[in-house]
Amino acid sequence: MRFAEGEIYHIYSKGVDGRIIFNSAIDYKRFLLGLRAFNNISSVELRRYNSTERVVPHMPQESLVSILSYILMKNHVHFLIKCVDAQKMAKFLNKIFAAYTTYFNLKYNRKGVLFQSRSKSKHIYNDGYLQVMLQYIILNSLDEHFPEWRWGKLRNIRSARKILINYPWSSLAEMSGKTNNFIIDKDLVSDFIDDPSGFLDSLLFWSSRDFEKNNEFFLE
């Protein structure tokens, strides 16, 4: 897909043959470090930094893209990204996936590709589509314990809420203002989410009608 300046895209990438791409918390943290460090016009070598660092110090900060939301799952990742410049967008995506593949292969003594061909992407062409994806991406964290959320059959709201809040590898906490991982563009997010606490509540009332009506939006 060709990216267009000022447009928002849903980016999805899966492990080759569905393989697990995050084996430990350290792996997840390493990928998140890449999201922070590589969203910058300057070059950086991640091996110089600890995965727990929230920002890469002593670097000029000029972003390649604006990230609205993300989630890292065992065998795939989702992002919502606003394109600032088509070449910068392509550069950012290439850097985060290539660098993580190199890290993963060295750590686990393997060779070859880690992610399935090129990343899939869909253009978010209106506000309604965007609102659906802002919810859908975060809700992926329920898949392991409550996969029925996809068909509007979620019953244990209290437990589901706890999972959403405590899942450490999504942007929900940062979107809700509870933390700052320096990954998402909080000013941009605030343009689309007026009430962060209300946003969390809305996640828990996803219906089967929502899923069926918007099924063509999703990348899996």
Side-chain angles (χ1 to χ4, degrees):
M1 171 179 281
R2 293 184 178 180
F3 300 115
E5 181 180 340
E7 297 300 305
I8 296 173
Y9 296 88
H10 172 206
I11 307 296
Y12 169 85
S13 194
K14 185 177 183 180
V16 64
D17 297 325
R19 68 157 296 133
I20 290 175
I21 55 178
F22 301 109
N23 289 319
S24 68
I26 293 174
D27 293 343
Y28 284 101
K29 290 177 180 178
R30 180 70 175 197
F31 196 95
L32 292 181
L33 178 61
L35 286 183
R36 290 189 292 271
F38 291 137
N39 192 10
N40 196 302
I41 60 169
S42 301
S43 298
V44 60
E45 294 182 11
L46 290 193
R47 59 189 175 186
R48 296 175 53 197
Y49 304 101
N50 188 292
S51 296
T52 60
E53 291 188 65
R54 294 195 170 188
V55 292
V56 180
H58 312 306
M59 287 183 60
Q61 295 295 314
E62 183 177 335
S63 299
L64 296 174
V65 299
S66 290
I67 300 174
L68 285 84
S69 182
Y70 65 84
I71 192 164
L72 313 184
M73 303 294 290
K74 285 183 178 180
N75 70 343
H76 66 277
V77 297
H78 291 273
F79 311 117
L80 273 182
I81 298 178
K82 182 176 181 179
C83 176
V84 177
D85 173 90
Q87 289 186 335
K88 290 179 179 179
M89 177 91 156
K91 180 179 181 180
F92 171 73
L93 293 175
N94 180 66
K95 287 202 300 185
I96 58 172
F97 291 121
Y100 184 77
T101 297
T102 298
Y103 154 82
F104 190 93
N105 285 353
L106 285 172
K107 181 176 180 180
Y108 296 106
N109 193 29
R110 70 180 296 273
K111 296 180 180 180
V113 297
L114 178 62
F115 294 94
Q116 201 169 59
S117 64
R118 298 179 65 180
S119 302
K120 295 181 180 180
S121 60
K122 276 200 172 186
H123 176 217
I124 309 298
Y125 51 79
N126 61 37
D127 286 346
Y129 189 176
L130 177 60
Q131 291 300 325
V132 168
M133 295 314 302
L134 284 168
Q135 295 182 328
Y136 174 76
I137 286 175
I138 300 300
L139 282 164
N140 272 255
S141 61
L142 296 180
D143 277 350
E144 182 174 353
H145 299 286
F146 298 110
E148 64 271 22
W149 72 265
R150 292 176 177 267
W151 298 278
K153 297 181 179 180
L154 186 62
R155 296 291 179 266
N156 195 336
I157 299 297
R158 180 177 296 180
S159 294
R161 183 185 182 92
K162 187 175 182 180
I163 289 172
L164 287 170
I165 291 173
N166 293 329
Y167 190 75
W169 317 121
S170 85
S171 56
L172 179 60
E174 195 168 5
M175 295 166 72
S176 302
K178 298 182 182 301
T179 187
N180 193 353
N181 291 329
F182 302 95
I183 294 176
I184 67 171
D185 184 336
K186 299 184 79 170
D187 290 335
L188 180 60
V189 170
S190 68
D191 289 342
F192 304 105
I193 300 177
D194 296 328
D195 178 12
S197 60
F199 174 69
L200 176 58
D201 290 337
S202 73
L203 293 174
L204 298 168
F205 293 97
W206 182 273
S207 71
S208 57
R209 183 178 59 185
D210 293 328
F211 189 85
E212 291 168 2
K213 182 174 66 176
N214 300 299
N215 191 49
E216 74 277 10
F217 293 166
F218 309 134
L219 289 169
E220 295 293 352

